[in-house]
Structures are given as C-alpha cells and as structure tokens.
Amino acid sequence: MLLRVVVCAVSLAFAAGAAAQAYRWVDKDGKVRYGDTPPPGVAAKPLKVPQSGASSAAPAAGDAAAKGTKKGPLTPAEQEKEYRKRQAEAQKAAAKSEQEQRNAQARIDNCNRAQTALRTLESGQRVMITDKQGERYYLNDEEIAKQRAVAEQQVSESCK
C-alpha cells in the first residue's frame, strides 16, 4: 500500500515537470538552444507546449463529425458500397487509359501514313492515283506539287 502511494507521488511530480514552460534562444556561438530555464542576458522566446491528450482528441473527433465520416468499423452494406464504388472508379480509369492508348496509336499511324505519302511524292517517280470512277491516272508536276503541299500539312498536323 505504501509502495503505491510513493509511486503515485513520484508520477505526479514528473507529470508536473512535463507541463513546464520551454524556451528557445540563440547562444553566443550562434547555435539554437532549447530548455526550461534560459541563461540570464539572452533573448529567449517561450515555446507553446502541446495540450494534454484528452483536450487534443476532442477537436479531432469534431473534425471527423464535421467531414461526415463515421468513426468505427463499417457495416457490411457500407463495405459493399465502398467496394462497388472503388470497382466502378477502377473500370472508368481503365477505360480512359485504354482510350488514350488507342488515340495515341491512331496518331502514330496517321503520322506514319502522312510521312509515307510525302516521301512518295518527293521521290521524283511517277505517281499514279485512282479517281472516283475507279480509273487510274498519273499525276502531272502541278498536281504532284499540290498533293505534296497537302501531305506536308498532314505531316505537320499528325506528327506533333
């Protein structure tokens, strides 16, 4: 019994010391020092001591209630709802990623086709095309120049 009283008294003594004021100051060597009693003749700034655990837990609980989150474990229905929500988000992200990949591949294909057409027109060889009626004919120099301008524009737009 006496041992319990002594242990309790020592614990209270240490707890009172832990709540003491702390100070911050710069010593003569320019180093920042901290302590509970600053040396005389030094401009010491008092530091804020954190509050005890009970008073700091109360605002945290208030913040959780303000944000609309529940404290404690979720019910099975809530877990299922969260799971389905995560699954839907994952599917949307996967679909978006797949679409971006398809668009990127289409841009690469368009660029390659435009570059191939431009190389063909710049090769100096005779160029033959098929018209709407299905008949083939060769382009003259003026038509090749027009087609080259169109191909250069397509390359500049497709190969950015």
Side-chain angles (χ1 to χ4, degrees), residues 21 63 93:
Q21 180 65 45
D63 291 343

Side-chain angles (χ1 to χ4, degrees), residues 6 36 59 88 96 99 131 159:
V6 171
D36 58 350
K96 183 178 179 182
Q99 183 63 35
D131 63 4
C159 302

Side-chain angles (χ1 to χ4, degrees), residues 13-25 32-40 42 44-49:
F14 283 118
Q21 180 65 45
Y23 295 92
R24 175 185 184 271
W25 69 90
V32 176
R33 302 289 180 166
Y34 299 93
D36 58 350
T37 55
V42 176
K45 297 179 183 174
L47 298 175
K48 293 183 180 177
V49 179

Side-chain angles (χ1 to χ4, degrees), residues 13-159:
F14 283 118
Q21 180 65 45
Y23 295 92
R24 175 185 184 271
W25 69 90
V26 179
D27 67 3
K28 63 182 177 190
D29 297 327
K31 293 184 178 179
V32 176
R33 302 289 180 166
Y34 299 93
D36 58 350
T37 55
V42 176
K45 297 179 183 174
L47 298 175
K48 293 183 180 177
V49 179
Q51 299 294 326
S52 66
S55 62
S56 64
D63 291 343
K67 292 181 182 176
T69 59
K70 283 182 62 176
K71 193 172 185 181
L74 298 176
T75 64
E78 292 170 333
Q79 290 175 351
E80 180 70 21
K81 182 180 177 183
E82 291 294 321
Y83 173 75
R84 291 189 187 277
K85 182 179 176 183
R86 287 192 307 269
Q87 290 295 329
E89 290 172 356
Q91 286 177 346
K92 286 179 185 178
K96 183 178 179 182
S97 174
E98 186 178 322
Q99 183 63 35
E100 288 174 356
Q101 288 177 351
R102 277 191 253 131
N103 290 343
Q105 187 60 41
R107 283 191 299 272
I108 291 170
D109 291 344
N110 289 340
C111 177
N112 289 339
R113 276 194 293 274
Q115 288 175 339
T116 301
L118 183 60
R119 277 194 299 270
T120 301
L121 292 169
E122 290 176 340
S123 68
Q125 297 177 357
R126 292 180 64 182
V127 179
M128 181 175 53
I129 62 170
T130 306
D131 63 4
K132 292 179 183 177
Q133 288 81 22
E135 296 180 13
R136 291 187 242 165
Y137 66 96
Y138 290 100
L139 297 178
N140 60 28
D141 291 338
E142 186 177 300
E143 292 171 331
I144 290 176
K146 288 179 184 178
Q147 291 289 331
R148 185 181 303 143
V150 170
E152 287 172 351
Q153 182 180 1
Q154 288 176 346
V155 167
S156 67
E157 290 174 0
S158 300
C159 302

